[in-house]
Amino acid sequence: QVQLVESGGGSVQAGGSLRLSCAASGNTSSVNWMGWFRQTPGKEREGVATISASGFLATYYADSVKGRFTISRDNAENTVYLQMNSLKSEDTAMYYCAARRRFGGRWDDSAAFTDWGMGTQVTISS
């Protein structure tokens, strides 16, 4: 099992930036992908970005965040980051970090991610 702890959420004005962090511990060697998802009340959880956990670097992004968000990793620190720039009101959500062992399938398939953090709230005011 992998434990995930998110941090870095907060409230900023539209156009601002935030950097989310996700610290992983436990059986991290079993993880092949790390992802960020977000959810607002009454809506399904949606994939924001995913990154390969080690070795070759592969990243995937939701169309809505391409060019504004960047996912990165620090393997020495077992930490994944989500740099969010040019934030919009529609980015307001609870953001969750997740870990995935399985290869294959859609990058944003939340059911394929087996370990989840508690989430960190991001609120963008216009």
Side-chain angles (χ1 to χ4, degrees), residues 37-83:
F37 290 77
R38 65 187 181 186
Q39 189 171 23
T40 54
K43 292 189 177 181
E44 290 190 3
R45 193 168 293 187
E46 65 168 345
V48 176
T50 298
I51 188 168
S52 53
S54 62
F56 69 97
L57 180 64
T59 58
Y60 297 92
Y61 294 92
D63 288 343
S64 60
V65 307
K66 280 181 182 176
R68 300 188 298 122
F69 290 12
T70 303
I71 190 169
S72 61
R73 71 191 194 204
D74 183 336
N75 289 344
E77 297 293 330
N78 282 331
T79 301
V80 174
Y81 302 97
L82 185 68
Q83 178 67 44

Side-chain angles (χ1 to χ4, degrees), residues 2 9 21 29 37 40 90-91 100-101:
V2 177
S21 299
S29 63
F37 290 77
T40 54
E90 51 263 44
D91 295 319
R100 169 174 173 162
R101 294 169 181 76

